[in-house]
Structure formats: structure tokens, C-alpha cells
């Protein structure tokens, strides 16, 4: 069995001119046994500009601590965590979903 951190980064934005809303989800799965403190959750992404990059701040026997430049999230195994929706200006929104599984 391997402990895995599953993360979804969901964002949406509304066009100022047309009012059309577009949304995207990005997913990451990290094996915690091989992860390193300081690792970025989405290392190849350039879409996290709204809130800063998610990074593993600490790995514990019960879960992980994940941080951005402005937020810290404590995620424990078996307890999925979904943030509220954040907004930059009412038109750009994002949220995170975290889950640790033992597969």
C-alpha cells in the first residue's frame, strides 16, 4: 500500500467583454513515500498564478501540510478537504480539493 496525495486545482474566469465563463481543472497525484518537502504539487503548471504555487510544507504520519504564499492547508488521511472558492476580482475564481488515500 502506498499513501498518495490527490489534488485538484479548479479555476474559472469570466470574460469582461462577453461575460462567457470558462473553467479548467488540473489534477495531481503524488506518492507521499517518495515526496520531498518543498516539492511543488503542480511542477509543470503555469495556471496557479492566482494564489501562488502549492508546495508540500510538511509530511506527517497522519497527512500533509500544504502551503501557498498566503494559505496553509492541513490534510489528514481519510478526510477529504475542499477549500472554499477564492476570488481575485469576482471574475477569476479558484479552489482546491485534497485527499490522501492508502492504495
Amino acid at each position: 500500500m502506498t499513501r498518495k496525495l490527490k489534488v485538484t486545482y479548479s479555476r474559472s474566469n469570466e470574460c469582461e467583454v462577453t461575460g462567457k465563463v470558462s473553467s479548467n481543472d488540473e489534477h495531481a497525484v503524488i506518492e507521499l513515500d517518495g515526496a520531498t518537502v518543498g516539492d511543488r504539487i503542480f511542477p509543470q503548471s503555469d495556471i496557479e498564478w492566482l494564489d501562488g504555487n502549492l508546495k508540500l510544507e510538511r509530511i506527517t504520519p497522519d497527512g500533509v501540510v500544504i502551503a501557498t504564499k498566503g494559505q496553509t492547508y492541513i490534510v489528514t488521511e481519510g478526510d477529504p478537504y475542499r477549500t472554499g472558492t477564492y476570488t481575485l476580482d469576482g471574475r477569476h475564481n479558484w479552489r482546491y480539493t485534497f485527499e490522501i488515500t492508502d492504495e
Side-chain angles (χ1 to χ4, degrees), residues 6 15 18 48 53 55 85 95:
K6 297 178 180 181
C15 178
T18 65
E48 285 191 287
N53 296 310
K55 292 184 181 180
T85 300
R95 72 175 174 273

Side-chain angles (χ1 to χ4, degrees), residues 1-17:
M1 299 275 196
T2 302
R3 284 189 332 149
K4 294 181 181 179
L5 172 65
K6 297 178 180 181
V7 182
T8 301
Y9 173 63
S10 303
R11 71 179 179 116
S12 65
N13 65 306
E14 178 183 344
C15 178
E16 199 172 318
V17 176

Side-chain angles (χ1 to χ4, degrees), residues 72-92:
T72 300
Y73 307 102
I74 299 170
V75 184
T76 55
E77 190 171 337
D79 188 18
Y81 184 105
R82 182 177 175 169
T83 69
T85 300
Y86 300 101
T87 187
L88 178 65
D89 55 10
R91 291 188 334 270
H92 296 85

Side-chain angles (χ1 to χ4, degrees), residues 2 7 9 12-13 15 23 27-28 31 36 49 51 58 61 66 70-71 75-76 80 94-95 97 99-100:
T2 302
V7 182
Y9 173 63
S12 65
N13 65 306
C15 178
S23 60
H27 304 279
E31 290 189 14
T36 304
W49 63 272
D51 193 39
R58 189 168 57 246
I66 300 170
Q71 296 288 325
V75 184
T76 55
W94 70 95
R95 72 175 174 273
T97 305
E99 182 177 14
I100 296 174

